[in-house]
Amino acid sequence: MVWRFPTVLLLSASSKSATDAFSVTTIRDASLSIESYVHKNFNVTYLNKPAAPRRENEPSIVLVHPVGIGLSSWFWTKMMEEYTDNPGIFAPDLLGCGLDHGASAWNPDEQGLFFPLSWTEGIETLLNDKVGEEGCTVVVQGGLAPVGILLASRNPQKVKRLILTSPPTHEDIVNAVNEDELKRNYDILRSNVPGSFAFRLLEMRSLIKLFSDLFLFEDGCDDRWLDETQREIRPEARTPVQAFNAGLLQHRSYLDELREIAQPVFIVSGNSDKRAANREGFRADIKNCELISIDGCNVLPWENPSGVRKLISQLT
């Protein structure tokens, strides 16, 4: 593992696909498919919903999933299924995620990744290949907000607007975490004890339900949520979670990017999200920023997919 501060953090990803089979993710929409593309030496998978007739030339929607135990682009399936008359929709798996879809695993002992830059670049390859001159709306869930911020700041012509659902607080986005703390966090998560032991416990369906009910959902998670997490879980899928949970996306401030973004930015919180008030600071740093509340808690695209779909339609 190599650490480079203050400008960027480098960790070490396998180019081998974790599985030859495509996903058993529950897809209830015949128009939704799992596709793949190559980014550097990674096979990257994504959920694809083609544009409806006469909407092919409209801005696409690009969805960035959260990182956590058992999570990948399946997080967006409920919301994607809500659409019947849609522009093109793409939900890429971040590098090292989507192993159940056939994506490459990430081995931290073989190849470096920069956080959050490498995840951003993996999505930029999709933007360059699939998104035309009409551009796209980028929607990002939760703690992956830094990826969305970089996408908007690095691609001002391609990204027309940015929607952040349940992002970190303003303070967490503009303040960096100390390097020593990050290294300590990461080393613990990568260790056999307590790291691997803790993961084996936290990957249990019962504990995922407990955590989800306590912290993510307003009214408790459903069986489909639990089924999907179990499909993605395997030892090779832990490495992105270890990096994210260690706080590596917070190795620097994103204040400069926030101040540079000229596109509209929408900060969306659930009505029962206790952190909503701590996102007010985004108004002062982003030129064109609006804060919005809808029903739900912390995983709005899953617990309130119709509400998020309607909101995206209104904003675009």
Side-chain angles (χ1 to χ4, degrees), residues 31 45 47 92 97 107 116 123-124 132 141 152 158 183 187-188 197 204 220 222 226 252-253 258 299-300 302 314:
S31 67
T45 50
L47 299 181
C97 302
N107 183 340
I123 297 174
E124 286 174 339
Q141 167 64 26
K158 187 78 74 170
K183 186 177 187 305
D187 287 345
I188 290 172
F197 177 75
M204 295 173 58
D222 55 19
L226 298 173
R252 70 173 182 87
S253 168
L258 291 179
V299 284
L300 302 174
W302 190 269
Q314 293 169 4

Side-chain angles (χ1 to χ4, degrees), residues 271-285:
N271 289 331
S272 63
D273 187 346
K274 298 178 181 179
R275 301 174 300 162
N278 296 324
R279 298 183 179 117
E280 288 289 336
F282 286 111
R283 293 184 193 270
D285 293 329

Side-chain angles (χ1 to χ4, degrees), residues 37 39 62 120-133 136 154-155 158:
Y37 61 95
H39 171 75
V62 176
T120 303
E121 291 177 336
I123 297 174
E124 286 174 339
T125 296
L126 176 70
L127 298 186
N128 293 333
D129 290 347
K130 301 296 181 181
V131 176
E133 295 181 357
C136 65
R154 287 163 54 93
N155 304 275
K158 187 78 74 170

Side-chain angles (χ1 to χ4, degrees), residues 5-9 115-116 176-177 182 247-254:
F5 284 88
T7 56
V8 73
L9 174 67
F115 290 95
V177 175
L182 295 178
L248 301 190
L249 271 67
Q250 294 178 268
H251 74 92
R252 70 173 182 87
S253 168
Y254 300 93

Side-chain angles (χ1 to χ4, degrees), residues 8 28 56 66-67 108 125 133 135 140 196 212-213 216 219 232 269 275 278 280-281 302:
V8 73
R28 302 175 180 178
E56 297 88 350
V67 171
T125 296
E133 295 181 357
V140 186
S196 294
S212 299
D213 290 349
L216 301 182
D219 298 318
E232 180 69 12
S269 300
R275 301 174 300 162
N278 296 324
E280 288 289 336
W302 190 269

